[in-house]
Each structure stands twice: as structure tokens, then as C-alpha cells.
Amino acid sequence: AQSVTQLDSHVSVSEGTPVLLRCNYSSSYSPSLFWYVQHPNKGLQLLLKYTSAATLVKGINGFEAEFKKSETSFHLTKPSAHMSDAAEYFCVVSEGQAGTALIFGKGTTLSVSS
Amino acid sequence: NAGVMQNPRHLVRRRGQEARLRCSPMKGHSHVYWYRQLPEEGLKFMVYLQKENIIDESGMPKERFSAEFPKEGPSILRIQQVVRGDSAAYFCASSGSKGNQPQHFGDGTRLSIL
């Protein structure tokens, strides 16, 4: 069975400081991993995806994530937070093939202060 | 706009009424997924459909909920005899048919039950 644990329900940073959102996964298969972002009253936007190619994945808006199999982690980082980054972030795992359900973490709310 | 289109964005129903939620996938996508987001929780998979076929409905409640994706027209998620606990945001996603393609989400339908 697959599962995702987002270790922090809420993260607060100051504008211009680094962002770290932590995610651990469990999967019986070689997983595909994703980070999605959700702004208030909006749908989910794909930030980045890992599908067994390079372990360091670069996404949109300056975000990146590193797949660490030994630690079963897929943490999301950004060197410098911007006010517009304030949103809900979801770490997601799937088997990777088309037609398989996504398994979502419970989400991390990122707050950015000026 | 070639994205996933959901309507209505907001839907209010009284207990016992029926709710119909519509989803038009991205152009060229043949796979449709429905997810439900309850307050303070991540998204939970409900059902996966292709044209005229339900492929995986393992996340659907056993009663009152149904989904279809007809040959022509949008996918429909139907909830009969709604109850307060059905209040949630319902998201539709679509993907192409090739492996490892990410799911793209609509902006969701917020269902409120009075």
C-alpha cells in the first residue's frame, strides 16, 4: 500500500528566506512522486514530478525537490520565499501509470510574512 | 482555456436533494478522475473513468454516489439524497493515456448542504 506523510501541517517563513516542506512516502512499487500547490478557492497546480529519472527535480516558480530512496523522502525546497508562495502544498504518490489514483498527503500550509 | 473545466464552481443544496457536478477534461485527455476534499484533509480518490467506462471506483461511497463519462459531453458526478456530510470540495482531474503523464486539476466545485 502507498501512503504519504507531510511532517508539518503549517510552516511560516519570512519573505526572502528559504522554504523547506517535508514529505515522507511509503510505496511497494517504484513510485512516482509529485508536489501540487493549491491557492485559496482554486484547483491544484502541478509544481514538479519525479518519475525515476534525475533524483533532483526542478519545478516551476523556483521550487525543487530531491528524491532520497534511502530516507523515503521527497522534500520540497525553495531558496527564497516570495509572498505569492503562500498557499497549501500537497505531496502526492502514485504508481505512475496512467489511470492510477493519486495518494495525497494532508497538506502543509505555507505562510510568508513580509 | 484548454484546462480542465468544472461547473458549477459553487453549489448549494438542501438535504435530500440531488447534486450534479460536471467536468470537461483537457483537450486530448481520455482519463478522468474525481477526488473529494473534506475540511482540514487532503484529497481522497473517488473514481477513475474513461469514455463510457468506469475503470476504478474503489473510493466511491457505496450508496448515493455515481459517476459517468459518456461518449459525448462532460463527466458527471451525481450525489443523490445529499446529507450534511457531503459538504466538500469536489475536484476533477484528467490525464492522457500514456504512462507517467501527470493529472491536471480543475478549480473544483464547492458543495454546501443546508
Side-chain angles (χ1 to χ4, degrees), chain B residues 34 47 49 54 57 60 65-69 75-78:
Chain B
W34 285 93
V47 62
L49 310 102
I54 297 174
E57 56 182 346
M60 286 280 269
F65 284 72
S66 62
E68 63 177 8
F69 189 16
S75 175
I76 306 288
L77 180 67
R78 181 183 180 203

Side-chain angles (χ1 to χ4, degrees), chain A:
Chain A
Q2 296 177 305
S3 67
V4 173
T5 302
Q6 292 185 243
L7 299 168
D8 306 291
S9 59
H10 200 147
V11 170
S12 296
V13 301
S14 298
E15 192 174 22
T17 64
V19 175
L20 170 63
L21 305 183
R22 299 182 294 165
C23 172
N24 287 109
Y25 70 92
S26 173
S27 177
S28 303
Y29 306 90
S30 181
S32 290
L33 293 158
F34 309 82
W35 276 96
Y36 283 84
V37 61
Q38 183 182 26
H39 288 91
N41 296 315
K42 288 288 189 180
L44 286 87
Q45 181 183 19
L46 179 67
L47 277 179
L48 49 80
K49 64 176 181 177
Y50 165 77
T51 54
S52 75
T55 56
L56 182 62
V57 182
K58 293 189 183 299
I60 61 171
N61 301 336
F63 285 94
E64 62 182 36
E66 185 172 8
F67 174 71
K68 292 187 176 180
K69 187 175 181 178
S70 61
E71 299 176 10
T72 60
S73 70
F74 190 58
H75 301 334
L76 181 70
T77 60
K78 182 173 180 177
S80 177
H82 191 272
M83 296 293 286
S84 61
D85 294 328
E88 185 95 16
Y89 291 80
F90 293 98
C91 183
V92 180
V93 65
S94 83
E95 294 178 22
Q97 297 302 313
T100 55
L102 299 180
I103 309 298
F104 282 77
K106 290 194 173 183
T108 298
T109 301
L110 176 64
S111 299
V112 182
S113 57
S114 56

Side-chain angles (χ1 to χ4, degrees), chain A residues 36 38 41 43 96 99-100 102, chain B residues 9 33 35 100 103 106-107 110:
Chain A
Y36 283 84
Q38 183 182 26
N41 296 315
T100 55
L102 299 180
Chain B
R9 290 293 309 279
Y33 315 77
Y35 294 83
N100 288 332
Q103 295 179 21
D107 282 346
R110 273 79 182 166

Side-chain angles (χ1 to χ4, degrees), chain B residues 24-39:
Chain B
S24 296
M26 281 182 70
K27 187 175 181 180
H29 284 184
S30 56
H31 299 239
V32 167
Y33 315 77
W34 285 93
Y35 294 83
R36 178 165 63 175
Q37 185 177 32
L38 292 167

